[in-house]
PDB file of all heavy atoms in Angstrom:
ATOM      1  N   LYS T  42     -73.253 -49.048  88.906  1.00  0.00           N
ATOM      2  CA  LYS T  42     -74.449 -48.493  88.269  1.00  0.00           C
ATOM      3  C   LYS T  42     -74.515 -46.978  88.475  1.00  0.00           C
ATOM      4  O   LYS T  42     -74.873 -46.234  87.567  1.00  0.00           O
ATOM      5  CB  LYS T  42     -75.694 -49.160  88.852  1.00  0.00           C
ATOM      6  CG  LYS T  42     -76.978 -48.704  88.208  1.00  0.00           C
ATOM      7  CD  LYS T  42     -78.167 -49.456  88.757  1.00  0.00           C
ATOM      8  CE  LYS T  42     -79.444 -48.990  88.101  1.00  0.00           C
ATOM      9  NZ  LYS T  42     -80.616 -49.676  88.640  1.00  0.00           N
ATOM     10  N   LYS T  43     -74.137 -46.531  89.656  1.00  0.00           N
ATOM     11  CA  LYS T  43     -74.214 -45.106  89.988  1.00  0.00           C
ATOM     12  C   LYS T  43     -73.027 -44.303  89.443  1.00  0.00           C
ATOM     13  O   LYS T  43     -73.187 -43.162  89.044  1.00  0.00           O
ATOM     14  CB  LYS T  43     -74.286 -44.958  91.515  1.00  0.00           C
ATOM     15  CG  LYS T  43     -74.440 -43.557  92.005  1.00  0.00           C
ATOM     16  CD  LYS T  43     -75.805 -43.023  91.721  1.00  0.00           C
ATOM     17  CE  LYS T  43     -75.982 -41.649  92.339  1.00  0.00           C
ATOM     18  NZ  LYS T  43     -77.221 -41.037  91.945  1.00  0.00           N
ATOM     19  N   VAL T  61     -69.197 -37.440  91.805  1.00  0.00           N
ATOM     20  CA  VAL T  61     -69.271 -36.595  93.005  1.00  0.00           C
ATOM     21  C   VAL T  61     -69.735 -35.186  92.680  1.00  0.00           C
ATOM     22  O   VAL T  61     -70.310 -34.520  93.543  1.00  0.00           O
ATOM     23  CB  VAL T  61     -67.961 -36.580  93.821  1.00  0.00           C
ATOM     24  CG1 VAL T  61     -67.630 -37.959  94.346  1.00  0.00           C
ATOM     25  CG2 VAL T  61     -66.806 -36.008  93.035  1.00  0.00           C
ATOM     26  N   LYS T 101     -45.534 -38.260  98.424  1.00  0.00           N
ATOM     27  CA  LYS T 101     -44.518 -37.975  99.443  1.00  0.00           C
ATOM     28  C   LYS T 101     -45.010 -38.482 100.778  1.00  0.00           C
ATOM     29  O   LYS T 101     -46.165 -38.367 101.114  1.00  0.00           O
ATOM     30  CB  LYS T 101     -44.252 -36.477  99.514  1.00  0.00           C
ATOM     31  CG  LYS T 101     -43.651 -35.938  98.237  1.00  0.00           C
ATOM     32  CD  LYS T 101     -43.442 -34.460  98.348  1.00  0.00           C
ATOM     33  CE  LYS T 101     -42.912 -33.913  97.017  1.00  0.00           C
ATOM     34  NZ  LYS T 101     -42.795 -32.477  97.028  1.00  0.00           N
TER      35      LYS T 101
END
Side-chain angles (χ1 to χ4, degrees):
K42 183 176 180 182
K43 183 72 175 173
V61 297
K101 296 179 183 175

